[in-house]
Each structure stands twice: as structure tokens, then as C-alpha cells.
């Protein structure tokens, strides 16, 4: 029971509890930022940009193997269409779901390549392939729901789980299995709280691909174990970047799976058009597409219509296929050079990826040889928690040898302790890659330099 308090006129009574105590004053929140905001991760490939710039400002040439951005120009037939549409005045607000001619082209292309039916009312266009990742987690997950995603994997999958209050369930992929997986690996992670299962083939950061048989076994497990309202989020942004005659397979092509799969792709990788900011998702139902259209209205309103018209040409012009083939041929040459070169460096072991444009060498031996494992063990607790031996090697390569790479932690932090890998993007010219290899070879033999680098300890990590 509360006791009425005597109060001055005009003031509200202070309520007391049954024991006559005044309730605790609400404590001010220590941080300016919400808890959710503090939980959001990031993509380090962008975050090391200022460090690279600092080195370049000193007049040093940095070999950039950090960013997943094809180093080819946008094809002329696409660029011309964008310019033409600007001249025609297509510079105003447009359909927040994506302009119809582009959604029709996406529906036709996705349907033809996957042998499924797709209607334009199930397509939503986004500013890139990245935004639907967080939007899907916001849309399908309540706090406590679970998101299964590959680890190592594109960092944004894990980054958003905590932000939306979902539970991250990393599916740890093994080098011995070529960083790929089948239904048997996925099954133990699925339960009644599963809401999203992320697939990403060809994969960032490992370049792994998947066979039709693997997808059938994954589909069988999902059919058997996943709740009916769980969604497969199939990130197929590297669908065109394939080597050695590999074909792209989508889980949506497996019977019964299109009804529960969100298929995602875009122009960034296939058409070397990262600055175009055009990506898309095909949803299982028009109802879901309408929800995402409303998210677009809330966040972005719409995307530049002239870029969308360019994307339509990218998808439908016969000239585009030749451009993709030339790009893949160049990536193949670089991959072969780099895989051979990396494997010749003591302490490094590198698989040949079947797709995407990344190498993901195991550097456990290198960490050992340089003394990175011991150096990491001796770091102050806070710095140790923020880093790993491969982070120290990554920083050494950047600051002492000007080769920008990414560490294992940048591709899923949870459960990454004791795993020693780097990601190298081969979306960089052959000459630069040759120079990068020479520098890596020299760095790998520079035990003393590494120890001095750690002693100086002045570098951000
Ligand atoms: C797996 C994966 N998904 C999505 C994206 C985002 O692509 P976009 O630049 O179109 O937003 C990337 C970019 O690196 C990626 O690697």
C-alpha cells in the first residue's frame, strides 16, 4: 500500500512504497548512445580506410587487398544509359519498391537463371545488396529469435543480430570442407526459435561454392526441422563470379524452397558497379515485398531512377555477359598467381577458391613463426580482447609492409579465437598483386621486425 504524501500546492505527490521508502530515482544512462547502437558491429574493410590514407599521405604506396570492389570500370553501355536517363530528366522521386522496368528485368533474370517463377510484385530494389541484411533481421526477428549465418562470413550478418536483439548462431565452416557445408552441418543449429538461415554462395570471405547436391541436403534439413515461418536469406551477390567452369546454384531452385527463400543480389560485383548502389531482393510473397517497400519509404524513400535504368540495361544487354567473362578471366589469372605465391611462403596455406574474388589463407604457421601468438597472449587484457594473432599480423603487414588485408575476426567474431586466417581481395591489378606477394614474402621472414613493431605498440587495433 502506498501512503499519500503531503505536498506543496502545484507539485505532484511522491509515491512511497509499502515500507514508506521513496522509489529509487531513475539513474541517468551513462552513454549518449542506446544500448542497441553500442551493440552494432561494422565492416572493417571500410574501417581501415583512414589508416591506409595515413600511410598514403606519407607518400607510401599501399597494396590494397582489403576491399571487395572489382577494379574494373563500369561498362560503357551501362554508363551511357545512366547518362541518357539523366538527360531525359529521370531525376525525381520514383517508386519506393523500385521502378517497374527494373523489377520486371530482375524478375525475368532471376526466374530464368534459377528455373523458378518470379513476379515483379515480389521484387524490391534497395541501395545495394547490403541494406536488406539488416532490414530482414528487423522484419523477421523478435528479441530472442535466432539467426543462423556462416562464419567466417560477411560481417554484416553477425553485426545486426545483436542490434535487433536476436541471438547469433554462427555456423562454423571448416577449411577441410572447403568452407562449404551440407544439411548435416546445419541441422544441430536449427530449432523452434530459428527465424533466418543465411546462405552465401559464392562466399565472402572464403570464395567457397556449393553444389546442387549440398543445397538439396540443406533444403531437406530445413524442410524437416525449421519452423514454417523461418526464412532462408540467400545472399547471391557473387552469382556471376565463378571459376573453373563452376555454375551458380541457388537454393531457391530446389523444389519447395522458393516459397521460403529471400534471394538477394545486385550490381556491385557482377558489373563492377559498387558506386551504383543498386541491389535487390526477391521475396517469397508480395505481402513481404510490401513490408520491405514500406521500410524503403521510411529509410530511403527511393533510389535514383537513372541508376535503376542503368541496372536494367546491365541485366538485359547481351554486352554484359562478355564483360563478366573478361572480368572472371582476369580474376582467374590473379587467383592462380596468388594461390601459388602464398603457398610458397613458409607458414601460409591457401586453398583455391571456386568463386568470388577473395583468398582466405590459413596463416597459423606464420603467426607461430613471427611470434604473433605469444605477442597476443602478452597484450594488456583490453587490447587482447579486441584483437587476435591474425589482427597483429594484419597490422604488421599494413604498417610495416603496406599490404592491406583483413583478419579472421573481421568475418564473424563469435567463436573465432584460435583461428588464424587472413582475407586477401584479388580485386586489384596483377602488378600490384605481384608487389604484394613480394612484400608478404619479406614480412613473413621478418621476425625481428614484427617483434619491434609489437614493442613500439603505437598502432591502432
Ligand atoms: C556477401 C555480401 N553481401 C552483400 C554485399 C554488399 O554489397 P553492396 O555493395 O551491393 O551493398 C557484399 C559486399 O561486399 C558482400 O560481400
Amino acid at each position: 500500500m502506498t501512503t499519500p504524501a503531503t505536498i506543496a500546492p502545484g507539485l505532484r505527490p511522491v509515491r512511497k512504497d509499502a515500507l514508506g521508502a521513496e522509489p529509487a530515482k531513475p539513474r541517468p544512462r551513462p552513454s549518449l548512445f542506446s544500448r542497441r547502437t553500442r551493440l552494432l558491429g561494422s565492416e572493417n574493410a571500410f574501417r581501415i580506410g583512414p589508416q591506409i590514407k595515413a600511410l598514403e599521405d606519407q607518400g607510401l604506396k599501399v597494396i590494397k587487398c582489403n576491399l571487395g570492389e572489382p577494379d574494373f570500370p563500369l561498362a560503357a553501355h551501362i554508363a551511357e544509359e545512366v547518362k541518357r536517363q539523366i538527360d531525359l530528366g529521370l531525376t525525381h522521386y520514383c517508386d519506393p519498391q523500385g521502378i517497374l522496368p527494373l523489377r520486371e528485368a530482375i524478375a525475368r533474370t532471376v526466374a530464368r537463371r534459377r528455373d523458378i517463377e518470379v513476379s515483379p510484385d515480389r521484387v524490391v530494389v534497395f541501395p545495394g545488396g547490403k541494406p536488406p541484411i539488416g532490414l530482414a533481421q528487423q522484419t523477421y526477428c523478435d528479441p530472442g529469435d535466432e539467426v543462423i549465418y556462416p562464419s567466417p562470413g560477411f560481417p554484416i550478418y553477425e553485426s545486426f543480430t545483436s542490434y535487433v536483439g536476436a541471438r547469433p548462431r554462427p555456423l562454423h565452416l571448416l577449411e577441410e570442407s572447403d568452407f562449404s557445408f551440407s544439411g548435416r552441418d546445419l541441422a544441430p543449429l536449427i530449432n523452434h526459435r530459428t527465424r533466418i538461415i543465411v546462405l552465401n554462395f559464392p562466399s565472402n570471405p572464403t570464395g567457397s561454392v556449393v553444389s546442387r547436391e549440398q543445397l538439396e541436403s540443406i533444403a531437406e534439413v530445413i524442410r524437416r526441422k525449421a519452423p514454417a515461418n523461418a526464412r532462408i536469406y540467400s545472399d547471391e551477390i557473387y552469382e556471376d563470379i565463378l571459376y573453373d567452369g563452376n555454375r551458380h546454384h541457388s537454393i531457391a531452385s530446389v523444389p519447395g524452397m522458393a516459397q521460403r527463400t529471400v534471394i538477394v543480389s545486385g550490381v556491385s560485383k557482377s558489373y563492377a558497379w559498387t558506386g551504383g548502389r543498386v541491389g535487390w531482393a526477391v521475396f517469397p510473397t508480395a505481402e513481404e515485398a510490401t513490408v520491405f517497400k514500406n521500410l524503403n519509404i521510411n529509410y530511403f524513400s527511393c533510389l535514383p531512377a537513372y541508376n535503376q535504368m542503368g541496372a536494367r540495361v546491365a541485366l538485359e544487354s547481351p554486352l554484359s555477359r562478355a564483360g563478366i567473362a573478361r572480368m572472371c578471366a582476369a580474376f582467374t589469372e590473379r587467383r592462380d598467381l596468388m594461390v601459388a605465391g602464398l603457398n610458397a611462403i613458409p607458414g601460409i596455406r591457401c586453398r583455391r577458391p571456386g568463386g568470388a574474388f577473395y583468398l582466405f589463407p590459413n596463416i597459423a604457421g606464420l603467426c607461430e613463426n613471427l611470434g604473433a601468438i605469444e605477442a597476443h597472449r602478452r597484450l594488456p587484457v583490453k587490447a587482447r580482447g579486441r584483437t587476435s594473432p591474425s589482427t597483429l599480423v594484419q597490422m604488421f603487414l599494413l604498417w610495416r609492409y603496406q599490404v592491406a588485408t583483413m583478419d579472421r575476426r573481421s568475418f564473424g567474431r563469435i567463436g573465432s579465437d584460435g583461428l588464424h586466417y587472413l582475407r586477401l581481395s584479388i580485386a586489384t591489378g596483377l602488378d600490384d598483386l605481384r608487389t604484394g606477394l613480394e612484400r608478404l614474402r619479406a614480412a613473413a621472414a621478418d621476425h625481428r621486425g614484427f617483434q619491434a613493431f609489437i614493442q613500439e605498440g603505437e598502432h591502432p587495433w
Side-chain angles (χ1 to χ4, degrees), residues 128-130 154 157 200 204 235 237-238 268-269 277 358:
K130 190 186 263 180
F154 187 49
Y157 309 140
N200 173 219
N204 176 7
D235 185 337
I237 195 119
Y238 295 97
S268 296
K269 316 293 174 176
R277 307 316 301 142
Y358 306 107

Side-chain angles (χ1 to χ4, degrees), residues 2-5 12-17 20-23:
T2 50
T3 22
R12 282 213 264 132
V14 175
R15 299 240 166 241
K16 294 187 177 172
D17 67 15
E22 286 181 15

